[in-house]
Amino acid sequence: MLEWVHKPVKPIAMAAYQHALDQQLRLAKPGSLGVLEEIVVRLCGMQNSNRPHLNRIQISIFAADHGIAAEEAVGFSQAATLAMLRDIASGGAAISVLAKYLGAGLEMVDVGVCHNIVGVPGVVRARVAQGTANFRYGPAMTPTQLRAALLAGQRSVTRAVERGMRLFIAGDVGSANAMSATALACGLLNRSAREVESFGGDIDRASTVYKAAVVQCALDLHLSTSKSPLDLLQSLGGFEIAAITGAYIAAAQQGLPVLVDGFVSSVAALLASRIHAGSSTWWFYGHTSAEPCHHHILKELNAKPLLNLGVGLGEGSGAAMAVPLLRQACMLHAKMATVDRSVVAGY
Amino acid sequence: MLEWVHKPVKPIAMAAYQHALDQQLRLAKPGSLGVLEEIVVRLCGMQNSNRPHLNRIQISIFAADHGIAAEEAVGFSQAATLAMLRDIASGGAAISVLAKYLGAGLEMVDVGVCHNIVGVPGVVRARVAQGTANFRYGPAMTPTQLRAALLAGQRSVTRAVERGMRLFIAGDVGSANAMSATALACGLLNRSAREVESFGGDIDRASTVYKAAVVQCALDLHLSTSKSPLDLLQSLGGFEIAAITGAYIAAAQQGLPVLVDGFVSSVAALLASRIHAGSSTWWFYGHTSAEPCHHHILKELNAKPLLNLGVGLGEGSGAAMAVPLLRQACMLHAKMATVDRSVVAGY
């Protein structure tokens, strides 16, 4: 049932990649375009074109609730997940404003919100269950639920490809999902909860200590039996995290470049890269978020994100902010004079 | 003759600033927009509006040659300065491509190019001299030339304000100007050339050592007599660096926000802030460039640039790349729901 996640990723077009690399060396520039050079050369390989573009961008927001929210001393209630979806739909959320600025397609996918979603237009229904189980006392989801959540991510990517999208951004909405992402980070990085300590949102120190204890409790319960990344995801994950994991693998298989967002998405990226090592070839990284743990995950992914602005919103917003840099990289590659046809010969 | 540089800067509208700060606290966001919050709040104060925008942007490229280029073992020839202007005019330079992407106005100002500029449309003529004198053996410019170069920057800002521009980016073009900027950096930071060591472009190690020796030689000649920032600028500067210094001061006086570019521009910013301490209130910083010395200058300016992408082109290109972040900050401030009128109440 899960064979698809191991299927090969689409290969990068090496001839286009090499051609772009050669062209960058011939551009009329008295210095370096830095990271933007590497980005556009990779995009040329991905799009098998020396004129890559990112006109059409898909932003898919995966929403779900978490049983572990019952352990939260303070923080967002599960009702907030629904409220955030409403805000996204009404255009008032950060990601709605950014999507409009970028001319991007914005889709919300309900992979497991607790409350019935009424009065929120445009939500794709892919609900696995009404939230995960509380992973302090048992696995967050069943194997069947894990498969369904991964598949919800794959399907979102398939829709994006069918719509001719050139870049995929996943966003997460789900109250208490930072606890789930932290527990997963501990498992993936083989560290204790106290070491990793990153719990999102506005919480005070006492609450952090309490949450670290809850996460450690869950780690003690699960880590002896959960060995593989898929086991970890089933034991400690959320439906939206599993969906993003599935989406990142599927995007690499279907040849759709990905721009990874913040902490929660990066945990999904690390899971995806552990499940399918080749998939990260298709990913870029948008930003280093305000979450203290994020840099551990990025280091493990060998990722150097484009931005570091202290943004910590989730929703895909940090990745969306980085899109103009990718577009500028494409434009510079396409429009700059090359030395041989340039009026500049002296340098 | 230089009284104007000491005239007061335009005050920030504190009521608009405070109002914007209050609004940011009420935006429907489950986390922080990080640096973008601070940026838009400052822009609100600068534009005295709760709906700041950056639709109209001025990019002014100041071009000049340097007598110190005679000491260069390798590097760009003075003919390259002219060639770069031609490339900018023809649309093939990085800054031309970026200006078009941003819909920005692009102006070139000849403040002291050696060669006669023929066949390059749209160059503002403000030539102080045919390049500076070689500062290894004497002052780079006369007091009269310094005044003229500073004024060329002021005039560019005045034109931008008259055209209704909302943001000012200065770019530098001038072969060997990294040597001048490095010498100025040494003087401003009170460090030796060996400590600062940053010479731009593609040069090998032996050339770096040689250039550091040349710069140290010039420092030994000038630093005993050049005490004030204006003295330093006259002794070691370039006409384009002086013009940018003048532009940054004038922008603060005329209330035009500035986005500072890379190493050479930042040296001009440090000069401007030493000449007129209040002027930096009006500046943002676009990027940390690939020049090793740039971070010393930024630290002295207490600046935290938006980007760090290893870009080292000059021409204002790094600042231009950061413009979409400022625009996104404005858009988020204007369009996001606030909690009281938001459908979200739970968080």
Side-chain angles (χ1 to χ4, degrees):
Chain A
M1 299 283 276
L2 261 177
E3 288 82 16
W4 75 266
V5 299
H6 303 294
K7 288 195 174 154
V9 306
K10 187 172 171 180
I12 303 292
M14 287 314 295
Y17 179 95
Q18 191 58 51
H19 181 78
L21 206 55
D22 295 343
Q23 181 176 316
Q24 275 295 323
L25 296 177
R26 290 185 297 118
L27 290 184
K29 48 182 155 69
S32 171
L33 290 167
V35 182
L36 298 198
E37 296 187 7
E38 184 196 324
I39 284 172
V40 77
V41 168
R42 286 181 61 201
L43 279 171
C44 286
M46 290 171 180
Q47 296 193 3
N48 192 18
S49 162
N50 198 37
R51 289 290 176 271
H53 70 83
L54 300 171
N55 296 353
R56 309 200 65 191
I57 292 168
Q58 174 68 32
I59 302 174
S60 294
I61 310 289
F62 297 93
D65 281 308
H66 292 255
I68 196 71
E71 307 292 328
E72 293 226 290
V74 289
F76 307 134
S77 72
Q78 292 180 338
T81 303
L82 181 58
M84 285 171 74
L85 290 179
R86 286 207 176 113
D87 237 18
I88 293 170
S90 74
I95 193 62
S96 328
V97 176
L98 294 169
K100 199 170 171 186
Y101 174 72
L102 299 172
L106 182 59
E107 147 180 305
M108 288 176 279
V109 183
D110 171 12
V111 275
V113 178
C114 276
H115 292 66
N116 277 323
I117 297 178
V118 280
V120 186
V123 176
V124 175
R125 207 184 147 80
R127 193 183 291 188
V128 174
Q130 289 185 297
T132 47
N134 183 341
F135 63 69
R136 182 171 182 175
Y137 304 109
M141 55 187 99
T142 67
T144 309
Q145 289 173 337
L146 172 62
R147 283 195 294 272
L150 287 162
L151 208 57
Q154 186 212 41
R155 284 184 179 144
S156 177
V157 164
T158 303
R159 283 192 295 278
V161 169
E162 284 168 359
R163 287 175 198 146
M165 297 298 184
R166 296 300 189 119
L167 184 74
F168 184 84
I169 292 173
D172 60 283
V173 165
S175 63
N177 71 3
M179 271 177 96
S180 172
T182 302
L184 287 166
C186 292
L188 290 164
L189 301 174
N190 205 17
R191 302 215 191 178
S192 72
R194 293 296 288 277
E195 286 176 283
V196 158
E197 235 175 68
S198 159
F199 295 95
D202 273 322
I203 43 162
D204 59 28
R205 177 73 200 153
S207 161
T208 303
V209 171
Y210 172 75
K211 285 188 184 181
V214 171
V215 168
Q216 192 56 53
C217 207
L219 292 172
D220 295 342
L221 175 66
H222 295 291
L223 285 192
S224 56
T225 52
S226 297
K227 301 291 185 196
S228 76
L230 285 166
D231 286 344
L232 277 177
L233 187 49
Q234 191 199 319
S235 303
L236 302 165
F239 296 134
E240 85 284 36
I241 298 174
I244 297 172
T245 304
Y248 287 165
I249 294 171
Q253 292 169 331
Q254 299 186 38
L256 180 62
V258 164
L259 187 56
V260 176
D261 186 44
F263 174 52
V264 174
S265 312
S266 296
V267 167
L270 186 53
L271 281 161
S273 77
R274 292 275 177 89
I275 294 166
H276 196 321
S279 51
S280 63
T281 324
W282 286 84
W283 309 339
F284 299 95
Y285 298 88
H287 77 132
T288 304
S289 87
E291 301 273 352
C293 174
H294 192 196
H295 79 271
H296 296 295
I297 301 287
L298 290 168
K299 202 175 159 194
E300 187 72 14
L301 282 161
N302 197 23
K304 289 176 192 67
L306 287 158
L307 300 175
N308 187 354
L309 302 173
V311 171
L313 271 196
E315 309 174 359
S317 53
M321 287 172 190
V323 167
L325 292 169
L326 302 190
R327 284 182 169 164
Q328 288 176 101
C330 291
M331 210 135 323
L332 288 164
H333 187 77
K335 304 277 172 73
M336 277 179 74
T338 49
V339 173
D340 51 283
R341 67 182 169 80
S342 162
V343 290
V344 182
Y347 58 86
Chain B
M1 299 283 278
L2 260 176
E3 289 82 15
W4 74 267
V5 300
H6 303 294
K7 288 195 175 155
V9 306
K10 187 172 172 181
I12 303 291
M14 287 313 295
Y17 180 96
Q18 190 59 50
H19 182 77
L21 205 56
D22 295 344
Q23 180 175 315
Q24 275 294 325
L25 297 176
R26 291 185 296 118
L27 290 184
K29 47 183 153 74
S32 170
L33 289 168
V35 182
L36 298 197
E37 297 187 6
E38 184 196 324
I39 284 173
V40 76
V41 168
R42 287 181 61 201
L43 279 170
C44 286
M46 289 170 180
Q47 297 193 3
N48 192 18
S49 161
N50 198 38
R51 289 288 176 274
H53 69 82
L54 301 172
N55 296 353
R56 308 200 67 191
I57 292 169
Q58 174 69 32
I59 302 174
S60 293
I61 310 289
F62 297 93
D65 280 308
H66 292 255
I68 195 72
E71 306 292 327
E72 293 226 289
V74 288
F76 307 133
S77 71
Q78 292 180 338
T81 303
L82 180 59
M84 286 171 74
L85 290 180
R86 287 207 175 115
D87 237 18
I88 293 171
S90 73
I95 192 61
S96 328
V97 176
L98 294 169
K100 199 169 173 188
Y101 175 73
L102 300 172
L106 182 59
E107 150 181 301
M108 288 175 281
V109 183
D110 170 12
V111 276
V113 177
C114 275
H115 292 67
N116 277 322
I117 297 179
V118 278
V120 186
V123 176
V124 175
R125 207 183 147 82
R127 192 183 291 187
V128 174
Q130 288 186 300
T132 47
N134 183 343
F135 63 69
R136 182 172 181 175
Y137 304 109
M141 55 187 101
T142 66
T144 309
Q145 289 174 338
L146 172 62
R147 285 195 293 272
L150 287 161
L151 207 57
Q154 185 212 42
R155 284 185 178 144
S156 178
V157 165
T158 303
R159 283 192 296 276
V161 169
E162 284 168 358
R163 288 175 197 147
M165 297 297 184
R166 296 301 189 117
L167 184 74
F168 184 84
I169 292 173
D172 60 283
V173 165
S175 63
N177 70 3
M179 270 177 98
S180 172
T182 301
L184 288 166
C186 292
L188 290 164
L189 301 174
N190 204 15
R191 302 215 192 179
S192 72
R194 294 295 289 275
E195 285 175 284
V196 158
E197 235 177 69
S198 158
F199 296 96
D202 272 322
I203 42 162
D204 58 29
R205 178 74 200 153
S207 162
T208 303
V209 172
Y210 171 74
K211 286 189 185 180
V214 171
V215 168
Q216 192 56 52
C217 206
L219 293 172
D220 296 342
L221 175 66
H222 295 292
L223 286 193
S224 57
T225 51
S226 299
K227 301 290 184 196
S228 76
L230 285 166
D231 286 343
L232 277 177
L233 188 49
Q234 191 200 318
S235 303
L236 302 165
F239 296 134
E240 84 285 37
I241 298 176
I244 297 173
T245 304
Y248 288 166
I249 295 172
Q253 291 169 331
Q254 300 187 37
L256 180 62
V258 164
L259 187 56
V260 176
D261 186 43
F263 174 52
V264 174
S265 312
S266 297
V267 167
L270 187 52
L271 281 161
S273 77
R274 292 274 177 90
I275 295 167
H276 195 323
S279 51
S280 63
T281 325
W282 286 86
W283 309 338
F284 300 95
Y285 297 88
H287 76 133
T288 304
S289 86
E291 300 273 352
C293 174
H294 193 194
H295 79 273
H296 296 295
I297 301 287
L298 290 167
K299 202 176 159 194
E300 187 71 14
L301 282 161
N302 197 23
K304 289 177 192 67
L306 286 157
L307 299 175
N308 187 354
L309 301 173
V311 172
L313 271 198
E315 309 174 358
S317 53
M321 288 173 190
V323 167
L325 291 169
L326 303 190
R327 285 182 168 164
Q328 287 175 100
C330 291
M331 211 138 319
L332 288 164
H333 188 78
K335 304 276 173 75
M336 276 180 73
T338 49
V339 173
D340 51 283
R341 68 183 166 80
S342 161
V343 290
V344 181
Y347 59 84

